[in-house]
Amino acid sequence: KAGVTQTPRYLIKTRGQQVTLSCSPISGHRSVSWYQQTPGQGLQFLFEYFSETQRNKGNFPGRFSGRQFSNSRSEMNVSTLELGDSALYLCASSPQGGTQYFGPGTRLTVL
Amino acid sequence: AQSVTQPDIHITVSEGASLELRCNYSYGATPYLFWYVQSPGQGLQLLLKYFSGDTLVQGIKGFEAEFKRSQSSFNLRKPSVHWSDAAEYFCAVVLGKYGGSQGNLIFGKGTKLSVKP
C-alpha cells in the first residue's frame, strides 16, 4: 500500500497570509490526525478527524482549522499566518483501532 | 496533566555498543505507548508499540522496549547500534481509545542519537 502523502512538501508564505495543507491517508484508513513540530515546542497534536468529523482538538488558536472529505483525505488551514507558525506539519492516518502512520510532512516557513 | 519525559536530549554511542533510551510517562492508568524514529527531513516511523500483555515488546530494526508499570517507564533498547540508527527518537502515549482510534498522541521532546564509527 502507498503510504501517507502530504502536499506540498515545502511552502513559503508571508505574515498575514493563509495556507492550506493537504494529506492523503493510507487506503482504507478513516482517521487522520495533524501535528505541528517545532524545535521549541516539539510535536504537538492539532486535531483528529474521523469519518469527516473532528473528534479531538489540541490547544491551538482558532486560526488553525481542518476538514476531512468523504474519501478520508484531509486538509488543514492556517489563516493570518504568524512567524511562530513556521514548523513541520505532520499528518498521520490510522484505521479504526489502529496505530498512526505518519507522512513526510510539510515544511512551512513564514517570512 | 499527562506528560511524557525523555530525560536525555542527546546521546552518543559507538557503533556496535548497546543503547538504552529512557522514557517516563505521567498518567493515572496504563496508557498505550509508542516509540517512533525520525530521520532528518523525514516523517515519523513507528518502531514498536505496547497496548497490553507481555511487557517486553519487540519492534523493527532490532529494537525492543520494556514497559515497567512500577516505574512508569517504557525504555527503548538495542543490543548493538548501527551507524544507520543515528536519528531522533520519540516516545509517545495516547490516553485511551475514542471509538477505537488513538488519534491524540502526546510526545516526549525526543532524544537525538549520534553514532560514532
Side-chain angles (χ1 to χ4, degrees):
Chain A
K1 281 186 181 180
V4 177
T5 57
Q6 293 187 245
T7 56
R9 291 292 312 277
Y10 301 91
L11 205 50
I12 299 175
K13 292 286 188 179
T14 56
R15 279 180 299 175
Q17 287 187 309
Q18 74 166 14
V19 66
T20 299
L21 312 182
S22 181
C23 172
S24 292
I26 293 170
S27 177
H29 287 193
R30 295 168 62 192
S31 171
V32 173
S33 297
W34 289 89
Y35 296 83
Q36 181 196 65
Q37 185 177 25
T38 59
Q41 298 299 316
L43 282 152
Q44 294 183 282
F45 171 75
L46 280 158
F47 27 65
E48 180 203 7
Y49 286 86
F50 182 81
S51 293
E52 302 180 64
T53 301
Q54 187 180 88
R55 197 153 65 174
N56 286 303
K57 189 177 190 304
N59 188 25
F60 277 83
R63 300 185 296 106
F64 291 82
S65 63
R67 59 178 176 169
Q68 186 180 33
F69 302 95
S70 58
N71 61 358
S72 293
R73 191 177 70 84
S74 177
E75 289 181 347
M76 68 162 281
N77 182 277
V78 188
S79 63
T80 318
L81 284 165
E82 300 176 359
L83 295 179
D85 297 333
S86 294
L88 181 66
Y89 290 88
L90 292 164
C91 166
S93 76
S94 65
Q96 187 172 9
T99 300
Q100 293 186 47
Y101 298 89
F102 284 80
T106 294
R107 172 75 62 187
L108 171 64
T109 301
V110 182
L111 301 176
Chain B
Q2 295 82 9
S3 65
V4 177
T5 302
Q6 294 181 247
D8 304 306
I9 296 173
H10 190 186
I11 284 181
T12 300
V13 299
S14 298
E15 191 168 16
S18 63
L19 171 70
E20 182 169 26
L21 302 181
R22 295 182 290 165
C23 172
N24 293 94
Y25 65 90
S26 171
Y27 183 55
T30 301
Y32 301 123
L33 296 155
F34 306 83
W35 275 99
Y36 285 89
V37 60
Q38 185 178 36
S39 298
Q42 302 296 315
L44 299 170
Q45 182 183 22
L46 178 68
L47 286 175
L48 47 77
K49 60 189 177 186
Y50 173 78
F51 288 175
S52 64
D54 192 346
T55 57
L56 185 62
V57 180
Q58 301 297 319
I60 63 171
K61 304 185 179 187
F63 285 94
E64 66 177 27
E66 185 172 12
F67 170 63
K68 293 185 177 180
R69 184 190 307 274
S70 61
Q71 298 176 19
S72 296
S73 69
F74 188 57
N75 294 349
L76 182 72
R77 302 194 294 246
K78 186 169 185 178
S80 177
V81 170
H82 188 261
W83 64 266
S84 61
D85 294 324
E88 192 156 18
Y89 292 79
F90 293 92
C91 180
V93 305
V94 66
L95 306 177
K97 289 186 173 182
Y98 179 93
S101 177
Q102 296 96 35
N104 182 3
L105 286 168
I106 297 176
F107 286 90
K109 294 293 188 182
T111 298
K112 185 175 181 181
L113 173 66
S114 297
V115 180
K116 291 190 299 185

